[in-house]
Amino acid sequence: MSTKIRLSRHGKKGYAFYHIVVADSRAPRDGRFIEKLGTYNPNTNPATVVLNFESAVRWVGVGAQPTDTARSILSKEGVMYRHHLNGGVRKGAFTEEVAEQKFAKWKAEKEAKTASTKAALDAAKAKTAKERLEAETKVKEAKAAALAAKLAEAAAAAKAAEATEEAAEAVAETAEEVVVAAEEAAAE
């Protein structure tokens, strides 16, 4: 029986989530499998991989053939490199301790690179959030200035109307005084 390490699709439409499984090569993609090695979520940035490392190394060691995508995932997680180092130990090129040191060094470099990538993504996210906040503040200030101008215009119009009303009252009072004076003059 030929075994494959491949992805089994799960999740909802447009939001795929995969299980990394070992299956008979004749089994359907999402069908029967021998063992689940882990999960792969490409929807996060960077993609999230949860993997049973020892089991994956064991399956690659006994001849399970990973598909192209599964090989890429396993390679990024270090399974393929660990398998390569185990081959060197079996052939006597170096000892198990040397293989462990090489793998630990590779893993440390990979984690540092991942951390720097994540830090860059976080910094970019913070920068865009800050730019958005600044743009929103500018829009808010522009709206506040427009509202203040409108209120000032309304206040000026109200003062002008009040001044016009006062002038009309003054004219009316003056007209009354003239009328009263004219009546007094006519009465005399």
Side-chain angles (χ1 to χ4, degrees):
M1 166 173 79
S2 169
T3 56
K4 291 264 188 193
I5 299 176
R6 61 180 171 206
L7 301 180
S8 175
R9 191 183 195 282
H10 295 277
K12 59 185 178 179
K13 182 178 179 182
Y15 199 79
F17 181 84
Y18 299 93
H19 290 184
I20 303 169
V21 298
V22 177
D24 183 359
S25 62
R26 298 168 292 183
R29 179 191 72 179
D30 299 335
R32 193 173 57 172
F33 59 89
I34 300 168
E35 184 180 348
K36 179 181 169 186
L37 299 178
T39 58
Y40 168 64
N41 185 2
N43 301 309
T44 59
N45 190 7
T48 306
V49 177
V50 177
L51 187 67
N52 183 343
F53 189 81
E54 292 79 24
S55 187
V57 171
R58 181 176 51 83
W59 276 105
V60 171
V62 296
Q65 293 297 311
T67 59
D68 293 338
T69 307
R71 181 180 297 277
S72 174
I73 293 168
L74 294 176
S75 180
K76 287 177 184 168
E77 291 299 309
V79 171
M80 301 308 284
Y81 185 58
R82 184 63 200 182
H83 174 67
H84 171 73
L85 292 175
N86 288 346
V89 169
R90 274 194 311 271
K91 292 177 183 176
F94 43 83
T95 64
E96 183 68 34
E97 293 79 30
V98 174
E100 285 294 330
Q101 289 173 353
K102 286 184 177 186
F103 186 72
K105 180 182 175 189
W106 177 86
K107 194 169 187 176
E109 289 173 357
K110 181 189 178 297
E111 287 174 358
K113 185 178 177 183
T114 303
S116 66
T117 302
K118 201 168 222 178
L121 288 172
D122 290 343
K125 189 175 182 181
K127 182 181 176 186
T128 57
K130 184 178 178 184
E131 289 172 354
R132 243 188 232 153
L133 183 64
E134 289 173 356
E136 189 175 314
T137 305
K138 286 181 183 178
V139 169
K140 182 180 174 184
E141 289 172 354
K143 285 182 180 180
L147 180 63
K150 191 174 182 180
L151 290 175
E153 186 180 304
K159 279 187 178 180
E162 189 178 305
T164 309
E165 192 176 298
E166 286 178 7
E169 285 179 15
V171 169
E173 285 179 16
T174 308
E176 256 183 56
E177 288 175 6
V178 170
V179 171
V180 170
E183 286 179 4
E184 287 177 7
E188 286 181 8

